[in-house]
């Protein structure tokens, strides 16, 4: 059994940053050497990590890899390649593909595709519809990460907008329900208003997108989801919270005490309304990026414990799909390759600590989804690790973008942190610009 020593790193884990080393053996973390603890046996390989930070691999609970059916935009291989380069070692894929993952045949086909093509560890959601809640009890809770519920607009038949269906969903499972919350009626009313306002123009300006997908639309839907979850005593995880007002719905108690948790996405933590002027529809997403006070409130909520998870909502589109304005341009952007370095940049600005980033991007997803033996640097756990170097400036250029769509809102941005190496199950899947595309990650397992 080959033993690899990652030597002399700053290990960021479980609220502490400590100088030390980690031994990888047989796909697992065999030894964590801190406070002078010696090696138990020689190692076959030593990686000098002096000056670097060693983190648990990032767990992204919210990605759209577009496979099957939308592979002209992205596919599991290309997007897991970008994930590996970004220090992401585990992903959970969303069900709004073609066909949507709302039947057992589609679910099994998606899991087969992930096993066949995904470089990183993986699972996927089962999508709720107005009628398939009767099937929830048949799901394998050890393989499927949760139920995805669209309470806002979605593709196909995945918008759940009947109150009796919502009640049946919340009462129909003890699995985690991950909800996209935007009120369709409010959005429809706002859309009509702005269409009339700009009737002589081809589209509504992108800067009005947060007026259409408004704070009121988000709060009404999130509030309903929380109410239904409380009535059913269900496990609810509200995705991509984008407004200061929604934060009233959450508590800053420990994760162990929470049945209702909240996610913030990179775009809503990094950008605000003024960024539409320079980035235009490249940062158009649903729910919309909103005002600076919303962004700053989300950042504060990460630190206070109101927000539990930081994810990406990685959602690639071709640039041609992003043409237009608030109504015509597609919503979503590729973010997974740059999620960790974006948050590390905010750490340099004093907004987050390294320990908080690891808590929200590694530990908390593992706890909320009850992932087996991942998310921490602990002896016996799977060796999912990322080595990052500070003070190593690099610029995002088109040739460095590994997502299939070939663009990013981060193009032209210079990051101060660099992902040097990514390990999944002890295997080096990314090193200094090169991805091992021959490797396939493991299925996540849930307790």
């Amino acid at each position: 059994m080959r033993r690899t020593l990652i030597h002399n790193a700053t290990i960021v884990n479980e609220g502490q940053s400590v100088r030390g080393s980690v031994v990888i053996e047989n796909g697992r973390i065999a030894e964590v050497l801190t406070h002078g603890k010696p090696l138990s046996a020689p190692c076959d390989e030593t990686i000098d990590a002096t000056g670097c930070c060693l983190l648990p691999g990032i767990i992204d609970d919210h990605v759209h890899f577009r496979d099957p059916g939308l592979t002209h935009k992205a596919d599991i291989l290309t997007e897991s390649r970008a994930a590996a380069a970004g220090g992401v070692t585990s992903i959970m894929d969303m069900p709004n593909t073609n066909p949507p993952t709302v039947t057992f045949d589609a679910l099994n086909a998606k899991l087969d595709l992930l096993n066949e093509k995904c470089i990183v560890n993986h699972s996927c959601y089962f999508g709720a519809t107005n009628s398939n809640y009767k099937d929830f009890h048949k799901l394998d809770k050890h393989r499927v990460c949760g139920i995805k519920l669209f309470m806002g607009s979605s593709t196909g038949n995945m918008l759940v907008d009947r109150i009796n269906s919502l009640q049946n969903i919340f009462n129909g499972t003890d699995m985690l329900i991950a909800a996209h919350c935007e009120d369709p009626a409010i959005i429809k009313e706002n859309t009509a208003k702005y269409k009339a306002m700009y009737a002589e123009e081809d589209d509504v300006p992108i800067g009005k997108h947060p007026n259409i997908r408004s704070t009121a639309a988000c709060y009404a839907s999130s509030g309903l989801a929380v109410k239904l979850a409380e009535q059913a005593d269900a496990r609810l995880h509200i995705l991509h919270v984008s407004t200061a007002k929604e934060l009233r719905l959450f508590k800053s108690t420990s994760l162990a005490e929470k049945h209702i948790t909240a996610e913030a996405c990179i775009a809503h933590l990094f950008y605000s309304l003024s960024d539409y002027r320079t980035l235009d529809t490249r940062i158009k997403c649903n729910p919309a990026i909103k005002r600076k006070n919303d962004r700053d409130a989300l950042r504060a909520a990460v630190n206070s414990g109101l927000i539990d998870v930081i994810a990406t909502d990685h959602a690639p589109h071709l640039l041609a799909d992003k043409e237009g304005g608030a109504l015509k341009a597609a919503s979503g952007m590729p973010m997974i390759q740059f999620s960790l370095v974006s948050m590390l940049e905010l750490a340099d600005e004093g907004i987050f600590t390294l320990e908080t980033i690891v808590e929200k991007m590694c530990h908390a997803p593992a706890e909320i989804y009850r992932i087996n033996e991942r998310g921490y640097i602990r002896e016996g756990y799977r060796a999912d690790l990322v080595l990052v170097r500070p003070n190593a400036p690099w610029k995002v250029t088109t040739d460095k973008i590994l997502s299939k769509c070939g663009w990013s809102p981060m193009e032209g941005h210079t990051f101060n942190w660099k992902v040097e190496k990514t390990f999944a199950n002890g295997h080096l899947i990314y090193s200094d610009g090169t991805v091992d595309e021959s490797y396939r990650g493991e299925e996540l397992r849930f307790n």
Side-chain angles (χ1 to χ4, degrees), residues 73-107:
K73 300 182 182 189
D75 63 59
I76 290 168
L77 178 61
T78 61
E79 305 320 291
S80 64
R81 180 176 65 194
V88 177
T89 56
S90 296
I91 59 93
M92 299 175 220
D93 193 53
M94 290 295 170
N96 51 336
T97 47
N98 185 19
T101 317
V102 296
T103 64
F104 286 103
D105 285 346
L107 175 64

Side-chain angles (χ1 to χ4, degrees), residues 11 18 57 59 71 96 102 146 172 210 248 258 273 277 287 302 331 333-334 342 355 390 402 405 409 411-412 430 434:
I11 300 171
V18 180
I59 300 173
T71 53
N96 51 336
V102 296
R248 303 173 190 174
K258 291 188 181 187
L273 183 64
R277 290 198 293 267
V302 168
S331 293
M333 66 194 93
S342 296
E355 294 82 4
L402 299 186
C405 63
E411 278 178 87
Y430 174 80
T434 301

Side-chain angles (χ1 to χ4, degrees), residues 16-37:
Q16 295 184 320
S17 294
V18 180
R19 185 68 60 84
S21 303
V22 167
V23 177
I24 299 170
E25 184 178 352
N26 197 29
R28 295 184 181 271
I29 297 168
E31 299 178 54
V32 179
L33 307 172
T34 58
H35 307 295
K37 182 180 177 182

